[in-house]
């Protein structure tokens, strides 16, 4: 008997597309899942609210993870509902201290992440890492661009400590670690000097990179931003700053699609970046009117980002991570929805006859191109997705949510 997948496979074959190749490519692409959706970015290294530094988690849906064990259990539950093999993205604020131990961010060590190594190793996950240059008394004003050299020193030391921890993750888990630097530094109102803070930021970064690290183990990226809440007039780490810095120092640029003016799209930026950088990193998110970090939907821009990655043949040189933190809905569901949507976008891109479409563009046949692009939207990619879930041993669309609800009832609802 022919299954629905068999029909879809034949349908795609008639369009010149091999669904088996797409399934293999999708299975091979890991996405770095951000731990911070599970607890609204609170972390475990203090009780500083994250709100500040221009970012904000809004909502108070019950069930946020309060301890490392709870966060790990929630990540497990989410990963059990997401097809494929992925990575875990941790922030420095998720350090796990022994009872009574307090260690400031400039002094954290690999041993504070040993439980995460154990967790990741047992599940075959690679880990990515981030210095946490916000939600801290010393991050009230600027951090790596601060006018006070003592404050800058603190955050430089924090980033160097994070490089050591990233090396540790990479070595222990046998998988290179992406360490992404993002700082909130900026100003609410019109600056009198835009140059000096940027010059200090560049100097601080140079000092961090000069610490000496194993470049085969740690890839360092720099994430730009356009503005943050309370920092509306000036962002030290702007797009131009970060791209130019990354290019000149040979590190990885990271683009978060919530970090641009609302009509600017990362999908359009990708081919230019691929032309000039060997590797690029992404934070895929969804900004609604501002960098609101809503859960990734299967929307036009997410799909277009995936199309550019695939048609530029850049799957291997794009380090793909998600970055959102919605506290108003079930947090496990948020992860599952966002991860599955990113994968669906990739699958749609992998099931697209890019060469044929490009030939229509090159021949100047805009009518045929528009027709083909629109007709492809009703191709049976959903059956291929269902097959991917089936082969990966995870529930299909329409089925996984029951599992989340059961988990909410048994576990999440009991957290206060
Ligand atoms: C903030 C940046 C940054 C953070 C995470 C938690 O605007 O997007 O990537 O969201 O590091
Ligand atoms: Zn980001």
């Amino acid at each position: 008997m022919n299954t629905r997948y068999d029909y879809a496979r034949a349908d795609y074959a008639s369009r010149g597309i091999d669904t088996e190749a797409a399934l293999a490519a999708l299975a091979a692409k890991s996405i770095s899942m951000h731990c911070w959706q599970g607890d609204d970015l609170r972390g475990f290294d203090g009780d500083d609210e994250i709100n500040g530094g221009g970012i904000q988690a809004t909502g108070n849906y019950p069930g946020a993870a309060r301890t490392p064990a709870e966060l790990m259990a929630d990540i497990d539950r989410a990963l059990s509902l997401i097809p494929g093999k992925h990575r875990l993205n941790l922030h420095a604020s998720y350090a796990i201290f022994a009872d009574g131990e307090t260690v400031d961010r400039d002094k954290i060590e690999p041993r504070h992440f040993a439980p995460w190594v154990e967790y990741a190793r047992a599940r075959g996950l690679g880990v990515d890492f981030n210095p946490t240059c916000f939600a801290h008394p010393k991050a009230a004003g600027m951090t790596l661009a601060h006018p006070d050299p003592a404050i800058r020193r603190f955050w430089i030391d924090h980033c160097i400590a994070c490089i050591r921890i990233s090396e540790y993750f990479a070595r222990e888990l046998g998988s290179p670690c992406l360490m992404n630097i993002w700082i909130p530094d900026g100003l609410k109102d019109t600056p009198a000097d835009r140059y000096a803070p940027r010059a200090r930021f560049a100097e601080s970064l140079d000092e961090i990179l000069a610490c000496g690290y194993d470049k085969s183990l740690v890839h360092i990226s720099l994430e730009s931003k356009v503005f943050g809440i309370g920092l509306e007039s000036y962002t030290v780490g702007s797009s131009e700053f970060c791209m130019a810095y990354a290019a000149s120092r040979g590190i990885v640029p990271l683009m978060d699609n919530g970090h641009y003016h609302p009509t600017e799209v990362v999908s359009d930026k990708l081919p230019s970046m691929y032309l000039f950088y060997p590797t690029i990193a992404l934070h895929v998110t969804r900004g609604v009117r501002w960098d609101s970090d809503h859960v990734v939907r299967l929307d036009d821009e997410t799909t277009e980002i995936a199309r550019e990655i695939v048609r530029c043949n850049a799957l291997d040189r794009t380090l793909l991570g998600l970055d959102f933190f919605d506290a108003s809905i079930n947090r496990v569901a948020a992860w599952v929805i966002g991860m599955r949507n990113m994968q669906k976008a990739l699958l749609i891109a992998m099931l697209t006859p890019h060469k044929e479409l490009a030939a229509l563009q090159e021949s100047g046949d805009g009518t045929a191109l528009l027709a083909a692009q629109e007709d492809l939207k009703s191709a049976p990619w959903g059956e291929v997705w269902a097959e991917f879930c089936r082969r990966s041993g995870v529930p299909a669309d329409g089925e996984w949510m029951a599992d989340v609800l059961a988990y909410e009832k048994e576990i999440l609802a009991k957290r206060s």
Side-chain angles (χ1 to χ4, degrees):
M1 196 190 80
N2 281 342
T3 63
R4 285 158 62 154
Y5 171 67
D6 293 327
Y7 286 114
R9 183 178 178 172
D11 178 303
Y12 275 110
S14 74
R15 303 169 195 254
I17 294 164
D18 178 358
T19 55
E20 288 297 316
L23 287 169
L26 188 58
K29 185 62 188 168
S30 303
I31 301 170
S32 197
M33 192 172 95
H34 56 310
C35 74
W36 51 92
Q37 168 59 57
D39 72 336
D40 315 332
L41 234 173
R42 279 170 190 279
F44 306 125
D45 72 341
D47 31 45
D48 300 291
E49 283 276 339
I50 71 123
N51 295 334
I55 53 178
Q56 220 165 353
T58 55
N60 55 0
Y61 198 85
R66 299 160 301 180
T67 62
E70 288 182 355
L71 185 58
M72 288 172 183
D74 294 356
I75 294 168
D76 274 339
R77 187 51 73 114
L79 289 176
S80 75
L81 302 173
I82 298 164
K85 197 103 202 96
H86 299 290
R87 304 176 60 80
L88 181 61
N89 201 1
L90 293 174
H91 245 281
S93 52
Y94 290 79
I96 300 174
F97 301 133
D99 270 351
E101 191 185 14
T102 49
V103 181
D104 210 349
R105 295 221 181 122
D106 59 336
K107 301 264 158 33
I108 50 170
E109 293 173 46
R111 65 188 173 89
H112 300 124
F113 292 85
W116 284 113
V117 162
E118 213 176 291
Y119 174 86
R121 188 186 284 125
R123 288 150 183 83
L125 300 168
V127 166
D128 297 309
F129 199 55
N130 304 260
T132 311
C133 303
F134 51 85
H136 186 280
K138 288 200 165 74
M142 294 196 185
T143 64
L144 290 174
H146 202 285
D148 178 349
I151 304 263
R152 289 205 300 282
R153 185 73 251 165
F154 177 85
W155 292 110
I156 290 168
D157 288 344
H158 172 56
C159 290
I160 294 173
C162 287
I163 292 179
R164 301 295 165 235
I165 294 161
S166 300
E167 285 179 323
Y168 164 72
F169 280 130
R171 221 174 261 127
E172 292 293 319
L173 300 169
S175 172
C177 175
L178 175 69
M179 192 193 94
N180 176 53
I181 300 176
W182 170 74
I183 59 162
D185 301 27
L187 291 171
K188 182 180 176 74
D189 221 330
T190 314
D193 181 358
R194 291 181 173 86
Y195 186 90
R198 287 185 176 137
R200 289 194 294 264
F201 186 26
E203 215 174 277
S204 295
L205 288 169
D206 282 347
E207 203 166 333
I208 294 163
L209 297 182
C211 76
Y213 64 98
D214 186 335
K215 293 187 179 163
S216 69
L217 294 180
V218 180
H219 303 296
I220 295 184
S221 63
L222 187 62
E223 178 179 13
S224 67
K225 193 159 178 174
V226 64
F227 85 96
I229 297 289
L231 305 161
E232 290 86 357
S233 301
Y234 171 67
T235 299
V236 178
S238 62
S239 175
E240 295 73 15
F241 178 97
C242 292
M243 283 193 197
Y245 185 88
S248 67
R249 308 303 197 268
I251 64 166
V252 178
L254 187 145
M255 295 189 293
D256 177 314
N257 61 302
H259 291 192
Y260 297 89
H261 292 284
T263 60
E264 229 182 318
V265 282
V266 163
S267 52
D268 180 68
K269 299 176 190 299
L270 283 172
S272 307
M273 301 298 278
Y274 290 137
L275 273 168
F276 300 106
Y277 294 87
T279 305
I280 68 139
L282 293 180
H283 274 180
V284 179
T285 186
R286 180 166 53 100
V288 177
R289 304 195 186 279
W290 66 289
D291 180 36
S292 60
D293 286 292
H294 281 65
V295 177
V296 170
R297 279 186 187 259
L298 184 59
D299 54 16
D300 284 352
E301 175 57 2
T302 307
T303 314
E304 200 62 17
I305 286 173
R307 284 197 193 99
E308 286 300 347
I309 298 171
V310 170
R311 70 186 160 212
C312 292
N313 204 9
L315 277 161
D316 291 342
R317 55 198 190 100
T318 306
L319 305 171
L320 197 51
L322 303 188
D323 181 14
F324 49 77
F325 30 99
D326 188 339
S328 76
I329 59 174
N330 181 300
R331 294 168 184 80
V332 174
W335 267 320
V336 176
I337 294 166
M339 290 287 284
R340 288 172 70 118
N341 278 340
M342 188 69 239
Q343 290 183 291
K344 286 178 183 177
L346 289 168
L347 178 62
I348 289 170
M350 289 161 177
L351 293 170
T352 300
H354 296 291
K355 278 204 184 79
E356 289 76 356
L357 296 177
L360 293 175
Q361 173 185 316
E362 298 289 285
S363 71
D365 193 346
T367 314
L369 176 56
L370 178 61
Q373 285 172 326
E374 291 306 300
D375 282 357
L376 265 171
K377 289 182 179 169
S378 46
W381 65 268
E383 300 302 345
V384 185
W385 170 254
E387 179 70 7
F388 186 60
C389 291
R390 198 184 63 72
R391 289 187 194 178
S392 307
V394 306
D397 287 357
E399 287 169 11
W400 61 266
M401 190 58 193
D403 192 281
V404 171
L405 289 177
Y407 187 68
E408 176 168 292
K409 203 165 156 222
E410 283 159 34
I411 310 283
L412 301 177
K414 297 188 178 137
R415 297 178 190 164
S416 52

